Amino acid sequence: MSENPENSDAPTPAGPAGPQPEPLRFFGTTWLDHSNGYALRRAGVAVGSLAAAAAGCFLLRFAYEGLQIADVGGFVGALVVVMFAVCSAIAFRKTWEGFTVRATDPAREQSLRSLKTIGFVGSLLAYFCRSLTEAPGEKLHRTEYETARAQYERRRGTRTGNPAARKKKPKRK
């Protein structure tokens, strides 16, 4: 008769004490100590995001050629090009800011979602540029993790000793 590991009476190992690092997309928690193929993953993310941006530009070119075939006029064609350029620039900036600072207003981020979708090429290029120096979002996550660890250690250090063994202060009369 085999024992079911879920019903065993063996103690379960407790997880590490303190705050845990938040995983990043494509990197997990390897950003913390740059292990398990971190550099290779970063190179893959850089190449992948650049290839996706190039494919996106290729598709936008086909869309523009469709407008040319439809003979909608020069004004509409120019308007479409300017719209995609502006949306890509805004998406690049907002994506880049998202790697360094957490969004404080979720409603504003929600309202910019469609703009970032239209300017997807800008977001992909921001991802590419950031992955050349670090995992996108690594600096933000590292700062938050180190702050949380420092706060945990400070709280942990002040709670040493048995609180029941402390001397009680006499009550003031």
Side-chain angles (χ1 to χ4, degrees):
M1 184 169 158
S2 67
E3 240 181 71
N4 186 356
E6 294 176 12
N7 296 333
S8 68
D9 293 329
T12 58
Q20 299 302 308
E22 188 176 337
L24 290 175
R25 180 181 297 149
F26 305 121
F27 295 93
T29 57
T30 61
W31 60 267
L32 191 60
D33 56 359
H34 296 187
S35 63
N36 296 334
Y38 170 82
L40 189 60
R41 288 180 193 204
R42 242 183 57 206
V45 165
V47 169
S49 59
L50 188 60
C57 288
F58 192 66
L59 289 174
L60 289 176
R61 181 173 179 249
F62 278 138
Y64 183 76
E65 286 178 2
L67 291 174
Q68 293 283 329
I69 292 170
D71 197 25
V72 293
F75 178 71
V76 173
L79 194 61
V80 167
V81 169
V82 168
M83 181 217 29
F84 273 107
V86 168
C87 288
S88 291
I90 292 171
F92 181 93
R93 181 172 171 249
K94 290 298 178 183
T95 303
W96 191 266
E97 287 175 357
F99 295 143
T100 55
V101 179
R102 288 260 186 214
T104 56
D105 188 9
R108 180 174 167 86
E109 290 300 312
Q110 182 67 26
S111 68
L112 288 174
R113 181 173 287 173
S114 60
L115 188 107
K116 287 171 77 173
T117 302
I118 293 169
F120 68 97
V121 173
S123 291
L124 289 169
L125 290 176
Y127 214 79
F128 166 73
C129 292
R130 193 56 162 205
S131 63
L132 293 176
T133 57
E134 67 177 7
E138 178 180 347
K139 183 177 181 181
L140 172 67
H141 284 77
R142 187 173 301 280
T143 303
E144 290 174 348
Y145 177 68
E146 288 173 354
T147 302
R149 288 295 295 174
Q151 288 174 350
Y152 174 78
E153 293 301 326
R154 229 183 0 258
R155 284 191 317 262
R156 186 91 176 124
T158 59
R159 292 189 305 187
T160 58
N162 183 356
R166 291 187 190 149
K167 291 183 181 178
K168 293 185 179 182
K169 294 181 182 179
K171 292 184 180 180
R172 290 178 49 189
K173 293 183 181 180

